[in-house]
Amino acid sequence: MKRIRDKLPQLIREPKAPPELRKEFEREVAYFNSRRLKPITWLLLSSLLVYLVADYLTVKRSVLPRAQDMWPGILAMRCVAIAACGVFLRLFGPLRSEEDVTARHHWVWKVYILFFLIYTAIMVSFMFPVKESIGPVYIFLLGPSAFIAMTTRQVTVMLAIGLATLAGALHAFVPEAATAKYHLINAMIIAWVSFVVAHVTYAMTYRAFMNRKVIERKNRELEEAREAAEAASQAKSDFLASISHEIRTPMNAILGMTEVALHTPLSGEQRDYVETAREAALHLLDVINDILDFSRIEARKLRLVSEHFDLPGVVHSSLKTVRLQAEQKNLELDMEIMQGVPRFLKGDPGRLRQVLINLLNNAVKFTDAGTIRVTVGPWERTPADPERPIGLRFSVSDTGPGVDREKVTSIFEPFTQSDGSTSRTYGGSGLGLAICKDLVELMGGEIRVVSRPGKGSEFIFTARFADGNPSRAVEPDLLEAAGPESLPVTSSRVLLVDDNPINAKVQKLHLDRMGMETTVAASGTEALMLLAEKDFDIVLMDLEMPGMDGHETTRRIRGGQGAGKPVRQPDIPILAVTAHALAEVRQRCEQGGMDGFVSKPVGFGPLASAMRRILGGEWREATGPPRPRQEAVPVLDLVAASTELGVSQAEIRHLIPNAMTEIVLKLTLAEQGLRKTILREVALQSHTLKSVAASIGAEASRRAALKLENAARREDLERSFERMATLRREVGRLELAVKAL
């Protein structure tokens, strides 16, 4: 009994909303109770009309005299109830959301329950002599508590008034009926059940309300945490962008001046010092680039570009990057592109090259003797992707020490290396493989490593690409910083805009080596003044300058505005040169009307390549002091082709017949296009001929085809006829060399 006395208050104690949520909870209760009672009112209204017809048939047309006397009272009470339904429907009004709840909704549902409870008790008792049942009272006593929420006090008041009304109505209308007391006892039992049900309903409503509030609070906290994380990420990105600019600006001077110094007469000891300094600076630049890439990947801001490219060219370029380090360690580099791999693809060649170079650098770094091999083959077990239907499998294997089994997975995590002493022995930031993993996933593939300690490692990754267009493929850079004797860049008048005198000096030295006529402006205002007075062929625009920055200067140039008078060439090509390396800066440059983008530190090769894309150019002998005599360009060099392609000379010989057929065909098509003066066709055919000639080591024919392509792309008809004759002569020499094999 004691336990029951202890538990009973807990069972009937109603939950209380916190003070700060009490009004909101009451508003929600009013909304849901009113919303639930509104359709009940329509049902009740239709039921009253049916009851009125039924009463007419059973009471009005009854032969009992007492029934005839009851009909006017029944009709009056039915009409009162029907009118009450209309009033309550109007009071409830539209209830589409809690915003529609007004002050009346807090009391109208309570009045509704009491009114119809009293009405039902009186009506049933009045008709008891005829019906001898109070079933509707049972339903009404139990019904509301099952679908609306009421506090303990509210349900107690409702039941007390309902039972009192029922007792009074039974006493007034059927005092002689002995069975009325049994109905009253049943009604009291129903009332107790209704009390329990109402308590449970209210508790469930309260629990649902509080659960929703908890979820809303958690969601709000998560949203605030997300916004804080995004703000922190943005702050980190801004910081990295700023620090990157501050580091790259002096790095530009260090790398630029060391590169220039290496092209001056130096003693062996001096050259060693300069090369050591340059290698250290390049290593530092690699670390900076890794941190920036990792930050962009972490912030989900790294995006792949989509352009047509030559797959063998990308792989050859990657091997060429590490060839010097491999030769210093007497390592053999090998490559194989398997059958079924298309040559031209569409994707991001820069990121593919980054992954390959990273894996090759690791292989060279950790391998002391043996071979490093790159293999490219089809990736057949790949899900369908209509946008990137071509799947390829890349493999970089070495004969190094291998990776411990327990480290196979962890090495792809950021700042992780295969051994704690690795960073001390070999260097590195521990971000390279993590970046490779993210880049490969962006390319629709995955990366893994197969390794046996002491036997070597094989890094395997897959990637997806679209079909490439040979005529639109990105041409590999033809420029080498160490070989400026012949540069395919048109000699031009350059306006160099940079407020940093050291950076300006470095870039001017590069431009002088290209044979450019350079004018330097130290500010955006000075650049506008010069553009209003003189004509130039291209502007090299620094972005970060005090006062008027590069973006504002470009905007004014494109708008024809100047410093006092308008600029002469609003559409002049503008090449952005900046220490910022973020994609957002590049995008802003494109949107601002700039024609290209070069990141500092600016090397000779990247700068010349960017200018060539804008200005065009042809292979020419550079002006200036005489250079050492160059060796004759070989007509057919199987050794060079074998080394470049990573295959045997026998395999090159096997390729020659088909290659010659293709070269002669492309030459014929180019000649036909030239006769019809369709220079676009000439450029396309000479471009393909150039690639085929390179595949068999026909360097003279390749260069002749390149010169013809450049002339055709510039729509220089006279020069195209001259260079077609040169190409025809070189192909003839190539045919004689092939026959002599």
Side-chain angles (χ1 to χ4, degrees):
M1 291 295 295
K2 183 178 179 181
R3 293 185 61 186
I4 295 177
R5 287 197 303 269
D6 294 339
K7 291 290 185 182
L8 188 59
Q10 298 179 14
L11 292 174
I12 64 176
R13 184 184 298 120
E14 65 184 31
K16 297 289 186 182
E20 66 274 10
L21 298 176
R22 193 162 297 162
K23 288 186 177 180
E24 187 176 353
F25 178 61
E26 292 175 355
R27 181 182 181 87
E28 183 168 312
V29 167
Y31 168 71
F32 282 109
N33 286 348
S34 300
R35 186 178 177 88
R36 291 167 183 171
L37 286 173
K38 190 172 180 181
I40 295 297
T41 306
W42 284 106
L43 178 62
L44 185 58
L45 179 60
S46 60
S47 300
L48 287 170
L49 293 173
V50 173
Y51 288 154
L52 185 59
V53 175
D55 291 339
Y56 175 79
L57 296 176
T58 59
V59 178
K60 171 66 176 173
R61 302 181 65 177
S62 175
V63 296
L64 297 175
R66 189 171 183 181
Q68 295 294 331
D69 296 336
M70 293 172 62
W71 169 247
I74 294 173
L75 179 61
M77 285 191 287
R78 294 295 189 201
C79 291
V80 168
I82 291 172
C85 287
V87 172
F88 280 117
L89 285 172
R90 183 176 180 82
L91 289 173
F92 285 137
L95 282 171
R96 292 177 294 271
S97 67
E98 289 189 22
E99 300 297 326
D100 297 329
V101 175
T102 61
R104 70 173 182 270
H105 291 96
H106 290 277
W107 56 263
V108 67
W109 68 270
K110 304 172 188 176
V111 175
Y112 180 97
I113 295 295
L114 292 175
F115 173 82
F116 280 106
L117 183 59
I118 294 172
Y119 166 81
T120 303
I122 295 174
M123 188 68 185
V124 168
S125 300
F126 180 74
M127 298 181 65
F128 188 83
V130 177
K131 302 292 186 181
E132 294 186 351
S133 173
I134 61 171
V137 176
Y138 299 157
I139 296 173
F140 205 87
L141 284 175
L142 184 61
S145 59
F147 61 87
I148 63 175
M150 291 179 284
T151 64
T152 303
R153 184 177 62 179
Q154 290 169 349
V155 73
T156 302
V157 171
M158 182 198 78
L159 294 176
I161 293 176
L163 289 173
T165 304
L166 177 61
L170 290 173
H171 176 74
F173 295 111
V174 285
E176 73 282 7
T179 57
K181 62 181 181 180
Y182 300 109
H183 288 294
L184 189 59
I185 293 172
N186 291 339
M188 293 177 66
I189 296 173
I190 293 296
W192 171 249
V193 175
S194 180
F195 177 85
V196 175
V197 172
H199 178 75
V200 173
T201 302
Y202 183 82
M204 292 175 61
T205 303
Y206 171 79
R207 188 178 299 111
F209 172 79
M210 292 305 297
N211 287 341
R212 181 165 58 84
K213 287 301 172 185
V214 169
I215 293 173
E216 289 177 354
R217 179 171 59 83
K218 292 294 184 183
N219 287 340
R220 187 165 55 251
E221 292 175 353
L222 289 173
E223 181 65 19
E224 292 173 355
R226 184 185 66 82
E227 292 176 354
E230 288 181 351
S233 177
Q234 183 61 41
K236 181 181 69 174
S237 297
D238 294 341
F239 170 76
L240 287 173
S242 176
I243 200 67
S244 166
H245 180 271
E246 296 303 322
I247 294 175
R248 284 172 178 272
T249 297
M251 285 289 291
N252 180 50
I254 294 171
L255 290 172
M257 295 308 292
T258 53
E259 182 177 351
V260 172
L262 288 172
H263 288 82
T264 61
L266 297 172
S267 66
E269 186 178 8
Q270 290 172 332
R271 182 171 296 276
D272 181 62
Y273 292 159
V274 175
E275 288 178 348
T276 301
R278 180 173 175 78
E279 288 177 4
L282 288 171
H283 175 70
L284 178 58
L285 186 62
D286 288 340
V287 174
I288 295 171
N289 290 334
D290 282 349
I291 294 173
L292 288 173
D293 279 344
F294 182 73
S295 175
R296 287 197 292 266
I297 292 170
E298 192 178 44
R300 305 300 180 191
K301 291 186 177 181
L302 185 65
R303 299 290 183 269
L304 299 180
V305 302
S306 182
E307 57 187 20
H308 302 267
F309 67 94
D310 181 357
L311 176 62
V314 171
V315 179
H316 294 159
S317 174
S318 304
L319 288 169
K320 188 176 182 180
T321 303
V322 301
R323 188 178 300 279
L324 179 61
Q325 295 93 317
E327 290 175 352
Q328 291 174 348
K329 299 180 71 173
N330 294 321
L331 299 176
E332 182 180 349
L333 291 179
D334 196 7
M335 185 198 79
E336 179 183 6
I337 297 182
M338 302 172 66
Q339 291 185 352
V341 175
R343 177 174 180 178
F344 295 99
L345 301 171
K346 185 179 181 183
D348 192 331
R351 295 302 180 182
L352 175 60
R353 185 184 293 110
Q354 181 178 353
V355 174
L356 287 171
I357 290 175
N358 199 304
L359 297 178
L360 286 167
N361 274 329
N362 284 345
V364 172
K365 182 191 301 183
F366 294 106
T367 304
D368 294 325
T371 303
I372 297 171
R373 183 177 181 83
V374 178
T375 306
V376 185
W379 178 30
E380 298 177 354
R381 296 181 180 178
T382 172
D385 186 345
E387 295 184 357
R388 296 183 294 184
I390 300 174
L392 296 181
R393 178 184 182 274
F394 297 82
S395 167
V396 178
S397 60
D398 61 61
T399 55
V403 181
D404 293 337
R405 183 171 300 175
E406 59 272 14
K407 297 289 185 179
V408 165
T409 303
S410 63
I411 60 174
F412 294 105
E413 298 298 324
F415 307 105
T416 302
Q417 295 180 327
S418 61
D419 182 20
S421 62
T422 297
S423 60
R424 294 189 297 271
T425 305
Y426 299 101
S429 62
L431 289 174
L433 291 178
I435 293 172
C436 287
K437 179 176 180 292
D438 290 319
L439 291 177
V440 167
E441 290 175 353
L442 284 175
M443 290 188 286
E446 57 186 18
I447 187 170
R448 61 188 176 92
V449 58
V450 178
S451 178
R452 290 184 298 170
K455 300 291 186 178
S457 304
E458 182 181 14
F459 285 83
I460 302 168
F461 71 93
T462 54
R464 304 186 64 86
F465 304 94
D467 290 314
N469 187 338
S471 63
R472 299 173 60 186
V474 177
E475 183 180 350
D477 289 342
L478 301 174
L479 305 168
E480 292 295 334
E485 290 79 8
S486 54
L487 298 172
V489 183
T490 301
S491 180
S492 306
R493 295 161 297 178
V494 180
L495 176 60
L496 173 60
V497 187
D498 200 316
D499 65 303
N500 189 305
I502 297 178
N503 289 340
K505 182 178 180 180
V506 172
Q507 294 176 52
K508 188 174 185 304
L509 288 171
H510 289 331
L511 294 171
D512 290 345
R513 289 179 58 204
M514 297 179 202
M516 302 296 174
E517 179 185 338
T518 307
T519 303
V520 180
S523 66
T525 303
E526 185 179 350
L528 293 176
M529 294 173 60
L530 289 170
L531 288 170
E533 297 172 357
K534 301 179 181 179
D535 289 336
F536 295 91
D537 298 310
I538 189 172
V539 177
L540 269 59
M541 181 71 70
D542 184 32
L543 298 185
E544 296 290 335
M545 294 184 293
M548 187 186 304
D549 64 10
H551 295 290
E552 176 63 18
T553 306
T554 300
R555 188 187 67 80
R556 295 196 180 192
I557 293 173
R558 293 297 183 235
Q561 304 173 22
K565 56 181 179 179
V567 299
R568 296 164 62 94
Q569 303 163 277
D571 57 348
I572 186 172
I574 300 176
L575 178 64
V577 183
T578 177
H580 285 302
L582 298 180
E584 293 83 354
V585 179
R586 183 187 297 269
Q587 184 178 7
R588 185 182 176 191
C589 292
E590 294 175 354
Q591 294 174 349
M594 298 187 185
D595 301 276
F597 183 99
V598 177
S599 296
K600 296 178 182 178
V602 180
F604 178 83
L607 178 61
S609 295
M611 294 183 66
R612 179 175 181 269
R613 283 193 292 269
I614 296 175
L615 298 172
E618 60 187 68
W619 291 99
R620 60 177 177 77
E621 292 301 319
T623 59
R627 303 283 183 179
R629 184 177 181 274
Q630 302 294 309
E631 295 183 2
V633 179
V635 176
L636 183 63
D637 190 342
L638 299 184
V639 176
S642 174
T643 303
E644 185 69 18
L645 295 178
V647 297
S648 66
Q649 294 187 38
E651 290 173 309
I652 297 295
R653 291 174 181 270
H654 180 71
L655 292 175
I656 287 178
N658 291 335
M660 286 304 304
T661 301
E662 185 74 7
I663 288 173
V664 172
L665 173 62
K666 296 303 177 183
L667 177 63
T668 302
L669 294 175
E671 289 177 331
Q672 292 175 358
L674 187 59
R675 284 196 296 270
K676 298 177 182 178
T677 66
I678 306 176
L679 295 183
R680 182 177 180 182
E681 178 68 15
V682 175
L684 173 62
Q685 301 302 332
S686 57
H687 176 86
T688 306
L689 191 154
K690 173 190 64 180
S691 301
V692 177
S695 67
I696 59 173
E699 181 63 19
S701 297
R702 187 192 71 83
R703 292 195 181 188
L706 174 62
K707 292 179 180 180
L708 175 59
E709 178 189 359
N710 289 333
R713 291 191 186 280
R714 292 195 309 273
E715 298 185 354
D716 188 338
L717 184 60
E718 181 179 356
R719 188 66 60 86
S720 296
F721 273 106
E722 294 176 0
R723 293 182 175 177
M724 175 62 76
T726 302
L727 177 59
R728 191 183 303 111
R729 182 172 61 254
E730 293 298 340
V731 171
R733 294 174 59 199
L734 176 61
E735 289 177 322
L736 293 175
V738 169
K739 291 179 181 179
L741 289 177

